[in-house]
Amino acid sequence: MEILHTMMGILHTMLGILCTMMEILHTVMEILCTTMEILHTMLGILYTTMEILHTMLGILHTVMEILCTTMEILRTIMEILHTVMGIKLLPNGLVCIFTCPIIE
């Protein structure tokens, strides 16, 4: 009877150790889960930031396209004026009419 009692005590101790190990493993898994949640949130923030930057670059690209188109229109107008009326826009930004020497 004493041996049975000792064996039951050993089994109880082993089950207690196993239970403690399972609790430790559970805590570690919860820490990992929380870490993954934090990383997921950080990646979401990073993704949103990249989307905002992408949108801003798209807007900037559109503005630059508008500016380029405007400059092309102005260049075409100046070429028409030069062809029709002899008005020439010089590289220094001045407008020359008829008698100006061509400085290019």
Short mmCIF file of all heavy atoms in Angstrom, two decimals, residues 15-54:
data_model
loop_
_atom_site.label_atom_id
_atom_site.label_comp_id
_atom_site.label_asym_id
_atom_site.label_seq_id
_atom_site.Cartn_x
_atom_site.Cartn_y
_atom_site.Cartn_z
N LEU A 15 2.61 14.95 -13.08
CA LEU A 15 1.50 15.67 -13.70
C LEU A 15 1.54 17.16 -13.35
O LEU A 15 1.22 18.02 -14.19
CB LEU A 15 0.17 15.06 -13.26
CG LEU A 15 -0.18 13.73 -13.93
CD1 LEU A 15 -1.44 13.16 -13.31
CD2 LEU A 15 -0.37 13.89 -15.42
N GLY A 16 1.97 17.50 -12.15
CA GLY A 16 2.12 18.90 -11.77
C GLY A 16 3.19 19.58 -12.61
O GLY A 16 3.01 20.72 -13.07
N ILE A 17 4.31 18.88 -12.82
CA ILE A 17 5.39 19.44 -13.66
C ILE A 17 4.89 19.62 -15.09
O ILE A 17 5.12 20.65 -15.72
CB ILE A 17 6.64 18.52 -13.61
CG1 ILE A 17 7.27 18.58 -12.22
CG2 ILE A 17 7.64 18.93 -14.68
CD1 ILE A 17 8.35 17.54 -12.00
N LEU A 18 4.19 18.61 -15.61
CA LEU A 18 3.64 18.68 -16.97
C LEU A 18 2.64 19.85 -17.08
O LEU A 18 2.66 20.59 -18.07
CB LEU A 18 2.96 17.36 -17.32
CG LEU A 18 2.42 17.24 -18.75
CD1 LEU A 18 3.54 17.34 -19.76
CD2 LEU A 18 1.67 15.93 -18.90
N CYS A 19 1.82 20.02 -16.07
CA CYS A 19 0.84 21.11 -16.07
C CYS A 19 1.55 22.46 -16.06
O CYS A 19 1.18 23.38 -16.79
CB CYS A 19 -0.08 20.97 -14.85
SG CYS A 19 -1.41 22.16 -14.85
N THR A 20 2.61 22.58 -15.25
CA THR A 20 3.39 23.82 -15.20
C THR A 20 4.03 24.10 -16.55
O THR A 20 4.03 25.24 -17.03
CB THR A 20 4.46 23.73 -14.10
OG1 THR A 20 3.83 23.41 -12.86
CG2 THR A 20 5.21 25.04 -13.96
N MET A 21 4.58 23.05 -17.18
CA MET A 21 5.19 23.22 -18.50
C MET A 21 4.14 23.66 -19.53
O MET A 21 4.43 24.51 -20.39
CB MET A 21 5.87 21.92 -18.94
CG MET A 21 7.13 21.60 -18.16
SD MET A 21 7.82 19.97 -18.52
CE MET A 21 8.19 20.10 -20.23
N MET A 22 2.96 23.10 -19.44
CA MET A 22 1.89 23.49 -20.35
C MET A 22 1.48 24.95 -20.11
O MET A 22 1.21 25.69 -21.07
CB MET A 22 0.68 22.57 -20.19
CG MET A 22 0.94 21.14 -20.68
SD MET A 22 1.41 21.06 -22.41
CE MET A 22 -0.16 21.35 -23.18
N GLU A 23 1.45 25.38 -18.87
CA GLU A 23 1.14 26.78 -18.56
C GLU A 23 2.21 27.70 -19.13
O GLU A 23 1.90 28.76 -19.70
CB GLU A 23 1.05 26.98 -17.04
CG GLU A 23 -0.20 26.42 -16.41
CD GLU A 23 -1.44 27.22 -16.76
OE1 GLU A 23 -1.33 28.44 -17.00
OE2 GLU A 23 -2.53 26.62 -16.81
N ILE A 24 3.49 27.30 -18.99
CA ILE A 24 4.59 28.10 -19.54
C ILE A 24 4.46 28.17 -21.07
O ILE A 24 4.59 29.25 -21.67
CB ILE A 24 5.96 27.50 -19.13
CG1 ILE A 24 6.18 27.69 -17.62
CG2 ILE A 24 7.10 28.14 -19.92
CD1 ILE A 24 7.36 26.92 -17.07
N LEU A 25 4.19 27.03 -21.70
CA LEU A 25 4.01 26.99 -23.15
C LEU A 25 2.84 27.86 -23.58
O LEU A 25 2.92 28.60 -24.57
CB LEU A 25 3.80 25.54 -23.61
CG LEU A 25 3.71 25.31 -25.11
CD1 LEU A 25 4.99 25.71 -25.80
CD2 LEU A 25 3.39 23.85 -25.41
N HIS A 26 1.77 27.84 -22.84
CA HIS A 26 0.60 28.66 -23.13
C HIS A 26 0.96 30.15 -23.04
O HIS A 26 0.57 30.95 -23.90
CB HIS A 26 -0.53 28.33 -22.14
CG HIS A 26 -1.77 29.11 -22.37
ND1 HIS A 26 -2.15 30.14 -21.55
CD2 HIS A 26 -2.72 29.01 -23.34
CE1 HIS A 26 -3.28 30.66 -21.99
NE2 HIS A 26 -3.66 30.00 -23.08
N THR A 27 1.73 30.52 -22.01
CA THR A 27 2.15 31.91 -21.85
C THR A 27 3.04 32.35 -23.01
O THR A 27 2.88 33.45 -23.56
CB THR A 27 2.90 32.10 -20.52
OG1 THR A 27 2.07 31.63 -19.45
CG2 THR A 27 3.27 33.55 -20.29
N VAL A 28 3.98 31.46 -23.41
CA VAL A 28 4.86 31.76 -24.54
C VAL A 28 4.04 31.95 -25.81
O VAL A 28 4.28 32.88 -26.60
CB VAL A 28 5.93 30.65 -24.71
CG1 VAL A 28 6.67 30.81 -26.03
CG2 VAL A 28 6.91 30.67 -23.55
N MET A 29 3.06 31.09 -26.03
CA MET A 29 2.21 31.21 -27.21
C MET A 29 1.40 32.50 -27.19
O MET A 29 1.21 33.14 -28.24
CB MET A 29 1.27 30.00 -27.31
CG MET A 29 1.99 28.69 -27.62
SD MET A 29 2.93 28.73 -29.14
CE MET A 29 1.61 28.67 -30.33
N GLU A 30 0.93 32.91 -26.03
CA GLU A 30 0.21 34.18 -25.94
C GLU A 30 1.13 35.36 -26.24
O GLU A 30 0.72 36.31 -26.91
CB GLU A 30 -0.42 34.34 -24.55
CG GLU A 30 -1.69 33.52 -24.37
CD GLU A 30 -2.38 33.82 -23.05
OE1 GLU A 30 -1.73 34.39 -22.15
OE2 GLU A 30 -3.56 33.47 -22.95
N ILE A 31 2.37 35.29 -25.76
CA ILE A 31 3.34 36.35 -26.06
C ILE A 31 3.59 36.41 -27.57
O ILE A 31 3.61 37.49 -28.18
CB ILE A 31 4.66 36.12 -25.28
CG1 ILE A 31 4.43 36.36 -23.79
CG2 ILE A 31 5.76 37.03 -25.81
CD1 ILE A 31 5.57 35.92 -22.90
N LEU A 32 3.78 35.23 -28.20
CA LEU A 32 3.99 35.19 -29.65
C LEU A 32 2.78 35.74 -30.40
O LEU A 32 2.92 36.47 -31.37
CB LEU A 32 4.29 33.76 -30.09
CG LEU A 32 5.68 33.22 -29.75
CD1 LEU A 32 5.77 31.74 -30.14
CD2 LEU A 32 6.75 34.00 -30.47
N CYS A 33 1.61 35.38 -29.94
CA CYS A 33 0.38 35.86 -30.57
C CYS A 33 0.27 37.38 -30.47
O CYS A 33 -0.06 38.06 -31.45
CB CYS A 33 -0.83 35.18 -29.91
SG CYS A 33 -2.38 35.55 -30.73
N THR A 34 0.56 37.91 -29.30
CA THR A 34 0.53 39.36 -29.11
C THR A 34 1.57 40.04 -30.00
O THR A 34 1.29 41.08 -30.61
CB THR A 34 0.78 39.72 -27.63
OG1 THR A 34 -0.15 39.01 -26.82
CG2 THR A 34 0.65 41.20 -27.39
N THR A 35 2.76 39.46 -30.09
CA THR A 35 3.81 40.00 -30.95
C THR A 35 3.36 40.01 -32.40
O THR A 35 3.57 40.99 -33.13
CB THR A 35 5.11 39.18 -30.80
OG1 THR A 35 5.48 39.13 -29.42
CG2 THR A 35 6.24 39.78 -31.61
N MET A 36 2.73 38.93 -32.84
CA MET A 36 2.23 38.87 -34.22
C MET A 36 1.14 39.90 -34.46
O MET A 36 1.08 40.51 -35.53
CB MET A 36 1.71 37.46 -34.53
CG MET A 36 2.80 36.40 -34.58
SD MET A 36 4.09 36.77 -35.77
CE MET A 36 3.24 36.44 -37.29
N GLU A 37 0.28 40.12 -33.47
CA GLU A 37 -0.75 41.15 -33.61
C GLU A 37 -0.12 42.53 -33.76
O GLU A 37 -0.55 43.35 -34.58
CB GLU A 37 -1.68 41.14 -32.39
CG GLU A 37 -2.61 39.95 -32.31
CD GLU A 37 -3.77 40.07 -33.30
OE1 GLU A 37 -4.13 41.19 -33.66
OE2 GLU A 37 -4.29 39.02 -33.69
N ILE A 38 0.92 42.81 -32.96
CA ILE A 38 1.62 44.10 -33.05
C ILE A 38 2.26 44.25 -34.42
O ILE A 38 2.15 45.30 -35.06
CB ILE A 38 2.67 44.22 -31.91
CG1 ILE A 38 1.97 44.33 -30.55
CG2 ILE A 38 3.59 45.41 -32.15
CD1 ILE A 38 2.89 44.19 -29.37
N LEU A 39 2.94 43.19 -34.90
CA LEU A 39 3.57 43.24 -36.23
C LEU A 39 2.52 43.44 -37.32
O LEU A 39 2.75 44.20 -38.27
CB LEU A 39 4.36 41.96 -36.48
CG LEU A 39 5.68 41.82 -35.71
CD1 LEU A 39 6.29 40.45 -35.94
CD2 LEU A 39 6.66 42.90 -36.10
N HIS A 40 1.40 42.77 -37.19
CA HIS A 40 0.31 42.92 -38.17
C HIS A 40 -0.18 44.36 -38.20
O HIS A 40 -0.40 44.94 -39.28
CB HIS A 40 -0.83 41.96 -37.82
CG HIS A 40 -1.96 42.01 -38.77
ND1 HIS A 40 -3.13 42.69 -38.48
CD2 HIS A 40 -2.13 41.50 -40.02
CE1 HIS A 40 -3.95 42.57 -39.51
NE2 HIS A 40 -3.37 41.87 -40.45
N THR A 41 -0.34 44.96 -37.03
CA THR A 41 -0.78 46.35 -36.96
C THR A 41 0.26 47.28 -37.58
O THR A 41 -0.08 48.20 -38.34
CB THR A 41 -1.04 46.75 -35.50
OG1 THR A 41 -1.98 45.83 -34.93
CG2 THR A 41 -1.58 48.16 -35.39
N MET A 42 1.53 47.03 -37.28
CA MET A 42 2.60 47.86 -37.84
C MET A 42 2.64 47.74 -39.36
O MET A 42 2.83 48.75 -40.07
CB MET A 42 3.95 47.48 -37.23
CG MET A 42 4.10 47.89 -35.78
SD MET A 42 5.58 47.24 -35.00
CE MET A 42 6.85 48.05 -35.93
N LEU A 43 2.47 46.53 -39.88
CA LEU A 43 2.44 46.36 -41.33
C LEU A 43 1.24 47.06 -41.95
O LEU A 43 1.33 47.62 -43.04
CB LEU A 43 2.43 44.87 -41.68
CG LEU A 43 3.78 44.17 -41.59
CD1 LEU A 43 3.60 42.67 -41.81
CD2 LEU A 43 4.76 44.72 -42.61
N GLY A 44 0.11 47.03 -41.25
CA GLY A 44 -1.07 47.75 -41.74
C GLY A 44 -0.81 49.25 -41.81
O GLY A 44 -1.17 49.91 -42.79
N ILE A 45 -0.16 49.79 -40.78
CA ILE A 45 0.18 51.22 -40.77
C ILE A 45 1.15 51.52 -41.91
O ILE A 45 1.00 52.52 -42.63
CB ILE A 45 0.77 51.62 -39.40
CG1 ILE A 45 -0.31 51.54 -38.33
CG2 ILE A 45 1.39 53.00 -39.45
CD1 ILE A 45 0.21 51.64 -36.92
N LEU A 46 2.17 50.66 -42.09
CA LEU A 46 3.14 50.85 -43.17
C LEU A 46 2.46 50.80 -44.53
O LEU A 46 2.73 51.63 -45.41
CB LEU A 46 4.24 49.79 -43.08
CG LEU A 46 5.36 49.88 -44.10
CD1 LEU A 46 6.15 51.18 -43.94
CD2 LEU A 46 6.29 48.68 -43.97
N TYR A 47 1.54 49.86 -44.71
CA TYR A 47 0.83 49.73 -45.97
C TYR A 47 -0.01 50.99 -46.24
O TYR A 47 -0.01 51.52 -47.36
CB TYR A 47 -0.07 48.50 -45.95
CG TYR A 47 -0.91 48.34 -47.18
CD1 TYR A 47 -0.36 47.86 -48.36
CD2 TYR A 47 -2.26 48.68 -47.17
CE1 TYR A 47 -1.12 47.72 -49.50
CE2 TYR A 47 -3.03 48.55 -48.31
CZ TYR A 47 -2.46 48.06 -49.47
OH TYR A 47 -3.23 47.94 -50.59
N THR A 48 -0.69 51.48 -45.21
CA THR A 48 -1.50 52.68 -45.37
C THR A 48 -0.62 53.88 -45.71
O THR A 48 -0.97 54.69 -46.57
CB THR A 48 -2.29 52.96 -44.07
OG1 THR A 48 -3.05 51.79 -43.74
CG2 THR A 48 -3.23 54.13 -44.23
N THR A 49 0.53 53.99 -45.04
CA THR A 49 1.47 55.07 -45.33
C THR A 49 1.94 55.00 -46.77
O THR A 49 2.01 56.02 -47.47
CB THR A 49 2.67 55.01 -44.37
OG1 THR A 49 2.19 55.03 -43.02
CG2 THR A 49 3.60 56.18 -44.59
N MET A 50 2.26 53.79 -47.24
CA MET A 50 2.72 53.63 -48.62
C MET A 50 1.60 53.97 -49.60
O MET A 50 1.85 54.57 -50.65
CB MET A 50 3.21 52.20 -48.86
CG MET A 50 4.47 51.84 -48.09
SD MET A 50 5.85 52.94 -48.42
CE MET A 50 6.30 52.41 -50.05
N GLU A 51 0.38 53.64 -49.28
CA GLU A 51 -0.76 54.00 -50.14
C GLU A 51 -0.91 55.52 -50.22
O GLU A 51 -1.16 56.07 -51.30
CB GLU A 51 -2.05 53.37 -49.62
CG GLU A 51 -2.19 51.90 -49.89
CD GLU A 51 -2.40 51.60 -51.37
OE1 GLU A 51 -3.10 52.37 -52.05
OE2 GLU A 51 -1.84 50.60 -51.84
N ILE A 52 -0.76 56.20 -49.08
CA ILE A 52 -0.85 57.66 -49.06
C ILE A 52 0.26 58.26 -49.91
O ILE A 52 0.03 59.17 -50.72
CB ILE A 52 -0.80 58.18 -47.61
CG1 ILE A 52 -2.07 57.79 -46.87
CG2 ILE A 52 -0.60 59.70 -47.58
CD1 ILE A 52 -2.02 58.02 -45.37
N LEU A 53 1.50 57.75 -49.75
CA LEU A 53 2.62 58.25 -50.55
C LEU A 53 2.40 58.00 -52.03
O LEU A 53 2.69 58.85 -52.88
CB LEU A 53 3.93 57.60 -50.09
CG LEU A 53 4.47 58.07 -48.74
CD1 LEU A 53 5.70 57.25 -48.35
CD2 LEU A 53 4.84 59.55 -48.80
N HIS A 54 1.86 56.83 -52.36
CA HIS A 54 1.58 56.50 -53.75
C HIS A 54 0.56 57.47 -54.34
O HIS A 54 0.71 57.95 -55.47
CB HIS A 54 1.08 55.06 -53.84
CG HIS A 54 0.78 54.60 -55.23
ND1 HIS A 54 -0.50 54.53 -55.72
CD2 HIS A 54 1.59 54.22 -56.24
CE1 HIS A 54 -0.46 54.11 -56.97
NE2 HIS A 54 0.79 53.91 -57.31
#
